[in-house]
Amino acid sequence: MELDRPATNGDGAGAAEEMDLERPFLRRSSSGSRRRRTAGETPLGSPSRRPSFRQEMGHAAAETYLITRLTIVLLRYLGVGSRWITKFLALGFYALLLMPGFIQVGYYYFFSNQVRRSVIYGEQPRNRLDLYLPMNGSTPKPVVAFVTGGAWIIGYKAWGALLGRRLAERDVIVACIDYRNFPQGTISDMIKDASQGISFICNNIVNYGGDPNRIHLMGQSAGAHIAACALVDQALREHQGENTSWSVSQIKTYFGLSGGQVFKYNLFDLVDHVHRRGLYRSIFLSIMEGEQSLQRFSPELTVQDQSFHPAIICLPQIILFHGTGDYSIPSTASENFATALRSVGAQVKLILYEGKTHTDLFLQDPLRGGRDDLLEDVVAVIHAGDAVALAKDTTVPKARRLVPEWQLKLAREISPF
């Protein structure tokens, strides 16, 4: 299926990259040469000093310029449509209602000594990750490599700041991986970026106090689909005996947050659904590199393929979380994926939260303070077998509320997700 694409002007700002709609999902690794580092450049994997204010402002200005250009390209894809405009306005009101919490988390993100922002893991413009470090760094800590959501279009590493803060308080290092969004990249680029970010964490997290033998992979919304594709791709490569920069055996658990919207498990079933919710069919197919590529990028279908069955043994335990009140993607999507995984012998657990929506689990509940069921379930898995950590978990004070209840309830009603 040939898709129309906006013309580009070839000025190299990122939006003008040529995106090949025929790139396969399971690609052979290559050993292309890297550029030579200039004097004074920090090597990948080395904990460096914080960048200066001038450097951070320069980086922010460059990203703002790039995002502005990509937004213009994206608007040319969207055109004038009531669905996406309505969703965009709802998103604005939703963010405004949660702003008291966002401001507090933002202050932590920019000024806390526990946060290492924009650690470079690769050579693409978005190849950066944020690290959230526990206060007590006396012993190696378990690690969560987190891929944020954002409908493949608005994902950004800072979206994981609230999760990073909460897990860091529980003695867990969190690495939030950024990746190219559409239209700067398509799904192959996103998977490649995520895999490279995971590789960086597996090979370098010890430099930041992490335990390389206790790494967990987590994804939320579109980020979980990207992470799942990277995981499945890696498992197949290992089974085929390819040389890789990281191993699935280094990942103890895969956490999928927000269920079907997380994985977009069976993309064939998702196309019409997301079209009705404002992500138009033409854009979705452009992101997924054409209708002919949907099967390659559907983890549910990939694991059921006979050629993949021998690689199942490489996969870690998989835990899927979903709210039964998720109207973005029904919880049956996670149930179906769990069934598909069990049918081929994978280790999978499905946890459903009664009445929770797509945004309840990731935003409203953590902003509410008190006990967060999802966080407790994740921490219980990460700290399993660690008697000291489990004992400490019982004495952790409850998180304080960041947003008034009435604002959370209203935000829940108008959430576009």
Side-chain angles (χ1 to χ4, degrees), residues 216-233:
H216 305 262
L217 178 61
M218 182 184 297
Q220 189 267 339
S221 195
H225 167 246
I226 294 166
C229 287
L231 193 67
V232 169
D233 184 16

Side-chain angles (χ1 to χ4, degrees), residues 74 77-78 153 182 279-287:
L74 181 61
Y77 271 96
L78 291 168
I153 294 174
F182 183 81
L279 184 57
Y280 298 138
R281 181 185 181 90
S282 60
I283 300 176
F284 184 79
L285 291 177
S286 295
I287 294 169

Side-chain angles (χ1 to χ4, degrees), residues 18-132:
E18 185 67 21
M19 292 178 286
D20 180 7
L21 297 186
E22 300 297 331
R23 283 173 293 188
F25 169 26
L26 301 171
R27 293 174 292 183
R28 299 281 179 178
S29 59
S30 60
S31 55
S33 59
R34 293 182 178 273
R35 62 180 175 84
R36 186 182 302 276
R37 291 193 181 94
T38 58
E41 186 175 352
T42 303
L44 298 182
S46 298
S48 60
R49 294 179 302 172
R50 288 178 177 275
S52 68
F53 179 76
R54 181 178 179 181
Q55 289 173 321
E56 289 202 347
M57 289 300 295
H59 174 63
E63 285 202 339
T64 301
Y65 174 76
L66 177 61
I67 290 171
T68 301
R69 289 187 53 80
L70 293 175
T71 300
I72 294 172
V73 175
L74 181 61
L75 287 174
R76 293 173 65 185
Y77 271 96
L78 291 168
V80 179
S82 60
R83 288 195 189 98
W84 79 263
I85 292 175
T86 301
K87 296 295 182 184
F88 181 78
L89 292 174
L91 178 61
F93 283 116
Y94 176 77
L96 185 63
L97 287 166
L98 300 184
M99 192 57 66
F102 291 162
I103 290 173
Q104 295 175 72
V105 175
Y107 183 86
Y108 166 83
Y109 178 75
F110 285 106
F111 298 104
S112 173
N113 290 328
Q114 295 172 252
V115 182
R116 301 287 184 271
R117 298 187 306 277
S118 295
V119 177
I120 298 172
Y121 69 80
E123 296 182 351
Q124 293 298 324
R126 295 288 295 272
N127 286 175
R128 296 169 181 262
L129 56 83
D130 294 328
L131 289 168
Y132 299 84

